[in-house]
């Protein structure tokens, strides 16, 4: 199995370290020719969704990736990655728009912008959750399975081959959310 990690900006190295620990092959996606490599799954890291969206378009990768996601390429979006996948983003433009959710960016206000908690994740158990200027899922529409809540908000969800978390599982030691994604690919 080989995972492509979008490495334009943001917290992609942390996802790489996670996959190294899990002894899973990966490669970085930095330019269009990197998309010639075969991938079984795709990770969109945290960072700044507007910057990543702009770079994806400038580098001529946006449409290729959108088509692959819409055709069922398994994808895991964390934080800004979640925003890029959402069909609706409150007061902001949308990008891939492949996931049937409405998202609010920078949603917890200044004080709660970054925080740590431990909450239940469906099918896994209680996991650490680090939020960094995080969004939340304001609404999950048809076909979306809610996987986790924190502070009364939806913070993880799945729709078919798409998995999103508002928090950053890659910054903690716990590999179980990444394992969930790899299991999703295998099924
Ligand atoms: N606030 C960022 C955005 O709107 C997301 C933050 C993150 O990915 N840690 O894109």
């Amino acid at each position: 199995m080989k995972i492509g990690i979008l490495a334009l900006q943001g917290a992609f190295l942390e996802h790489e370290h996670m996959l190294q620990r899990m002894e899973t092959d990966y490669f970085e996606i930095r330019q269009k020719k990197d998309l010639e490599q075969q991938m079984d799954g795709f990770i969109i890291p945290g960072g700044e969704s507007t910057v990543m969206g702009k770079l994806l378009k400038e580098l001529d990768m946006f449409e290729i990736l959108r088509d692959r996601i819409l055709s069922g390429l398994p994808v895991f979006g964390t934080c800004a990655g979640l925003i890029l996948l959402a069909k609706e983003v409150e007061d902001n433009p949308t990008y891939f728009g492949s996931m049937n959710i409405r998202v609010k960016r920078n949603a917890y206000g200044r004080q709660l912008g970054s925080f740590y908690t431990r909450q239940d994740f469906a099918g896994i158990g209680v996991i650490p959750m680090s939020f960094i200027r995080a969004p939340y899922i304001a609404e999950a529409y048809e076909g979306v399975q809610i996987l986790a809540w924190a502070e009364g908000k939806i913070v993880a969800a799945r729709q078919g081959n798409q998995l999103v978390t508002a928090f950053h599982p890659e910054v903690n030691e716990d590999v179980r959310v990444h394992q969930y994604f790899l299991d999703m690919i295998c099924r």
Side-chain angles (χ1 to χ4, degrees):
M1 182 187 322
K2 200 161 191 185
I3 308 297
I5 302 180
L6 189 66
L8 300 178
Q9 190 264 339
F12 55 89
L13 280 176
E14 290 80 353
H15 282 286
E16 292 179 15
H17 295 153
M18 208 64 164
L19 293 183
Q20 283 164 18
R21 287 179 51 206
M22 300 171 80
E23 296 179 0
T24 299
D25 282 344
Y26 65 85
F27 62 98
E28 292 184 349
I29 300 173
R30 291 178 175 271
Q31 49 186 322
K32 195 175 177 183
K33 78 167 170 43
D34 297 328
L35 297 176
E36 289 164 14
Q37 286 193 65
Q38 190 270 338
M39 61 174 144
D40 302 297
F42 174 47
I43 291 180
I44 313 176
E48 201 55 42
S49 54
T50 50
V51 177
M52 259 190 268
K54 186 167 173 278
L55 288 171
L56 279 167
K57 287 181 181 167
E58 283 174 10
L59 295 165
D60 200 21
M61 297 199 285
F62 181 77
E63 284 179 12
I64 301 172
L65 284 167
R66 187 191 55 200
D67 289 350
R68 290 203 199 162
I69 293 166
L70 292 174
S71 310
L73 172 69
V75 60
F76 177 20
T78 55
C79 205
L82 172 157
I83 296 168
L84 288 175
L85 291 168
K87 190 171 88 176
E88 293 172 17
V89 186
E90 288 181 17
D91 306 319
N92 274 277
T94 57
Y95 293 93
F96 294 125
S98 53
M99 191 145 172
N100 221 359
I101 51 176
R102 177 162 56 85
V103 167
K104 188 164 169 54
R105 282 182 71 199
N106 301 322
Y108 296 90
R110 257 172 199 259
Q111 292 191 338
L112 273 180
S114 301
F115 63 100
Y116 173 86
T117 182
R118 297 177 61 85
Q119 303 293 338
D120 192 59
F121 188 105
I124 293 183
V126 174
I127 57 159
M129 297 183 180
S130 293
F131 292 82
I132 306 168
R133 291 184 307 105
Y136 61 67
I137 299 173
E139 202 165 345
Y141 302 115
E142 212 191 318
V144 177
Q145 181 192 358
I146 295 169
L147 298 174
W149 295 78
E151 307 281 333
K153 310 292 185 197
I154 304 166
V155 294
R158 174 179 179 177
Q159 178 185 338
N161 277 343
Q162 305 182 70
L163 174 67
V164 292
T165 63
F167 56 93
H168 287 262
E170 75 283 6
V171 303
N172 292 299
E173 297 289 294
D174 199 311
V175 300
R176 287 178 292 170
V177 178
H178 285 73
Q179 189 59 54
Y180 184 98
F181 179 56
L182 300 184
D183 291 346
M184 234 172 88
I185 298 173
C186 291
R187 279 199 200 104

